[in-house]
Amino acid sequence: MRKFTLLLAMFAFLGFQVIGQNLQIQGTVTHGVTGEVLPGVTVMAKGYAGIGTITNDQGKYILIVPEGTERLQFSFIGMKTSQVIIGGQTTIDVKMEEDLLGLEEGV
């Protein structure tokens, strides 16, 4: 019984360590000039393939990234890609700028 209790305590400790290694970041992405929310913006953890999300119809996102992730990258058609330093922040709101050059190249 004592070995089982010790084993259970060890799993609980390791489980808390894994949970503690992630950071939940949330925020809203808007148009830098009009202030309108931007649904469908891609939000990625820079340097971690496959860790990302998109903003919902209200421009909001929630992303869980590994602790130590330094930057988030925001991209959207017709807008300049933005990189934001996390720096321990859990709420990051972004105002995106239009990329007129990128729009002209596509035409």
Side-chain angles (χ1 to χ4, degrees), residues 57-96:
D57 61 342
Q58 298 168 349
K60 297 187 181 299
Y61 71 92
I62 297 174
L63 183 62
I64 298 174
V65 300
E67 191 173 305
T69 303
E70 295 181 9
R71 298 173 189 263
L72 294 182
Q73 179 172 298
F74 298 81
S75 58
F76 190 66
I77 295 174
M79 306 299 269
K80 292 180 181 177
T81 298
S82 300
Q83 288 190 27
V84 178
I85 296 173
I86 296 171
Q89 300 176 81
T90 56
T91 300
I92 299 176
D93 296 328
V94 174
K95 295 181 180 183
M96 296 192 78

Side-chain angles (χ1 to χ4, degrees), residues 5 22 38 41 56 60 105:
T5 305
N22 291 323
L38 294 175
V41 174
N56 66 13
K60 297 187 181 299
E105 290 175 2

Side-chain angles (χ1 to χ4, degrees), residues 1-103:
M1 181 69 172
R2 184 177 178 146
K3 287 182 181 180
F4 176 75
T5 305
L6 181 60
L7 187 61
L8 185 60
M10 187 173 84
F11 282 129
F13 175 76
L14 291 174
F16 287 122
Q17 291 297 328
V18 170
I19 292 170
Q21 293 177 353
N22 291 323
L23 178 65
Q24 179 176 303
I25 302 171
Q26 62 186 2
T28 305
V29 182
T30 56
H31 189 287
V33 175
T34 66
E36 294 179 31
V37 296
L38 294 175
V41 174
T42 301
V43 184
M44 299 292 295
K46 186 76 172 157
Y48 293 91
I51 298 179
T53 190
I54 60 171
T55 57
N56 66 13
D57 61 342
Q58 298 168 349
K60 297 187 181 299
Y61 71 92
I62 297 174
L63 183 62
I64 298 174
V65 300
E67 191 173 305
T69 303
E70 295 181 9
R71 298 173 189 263
L72 294 182
Q73 179 172 298
F74 298 81
S75 58
F76 190 66
I77 295 174
M79 306 299 269
K80 292 180 181 177
T81 298
S82 300
Q83 288 190 27
V84 178
I85 296 173
I86 296 171
Q89 300 176 81
T90 56
T91 300
I92 299 176
D93 296 328
V94 174
K95 295 181 180 183
M96 296 192 78
E97 298 178 25
E98 289 184 25
D99 184 6
L100 296 178
L101 181 61
L103 285 177

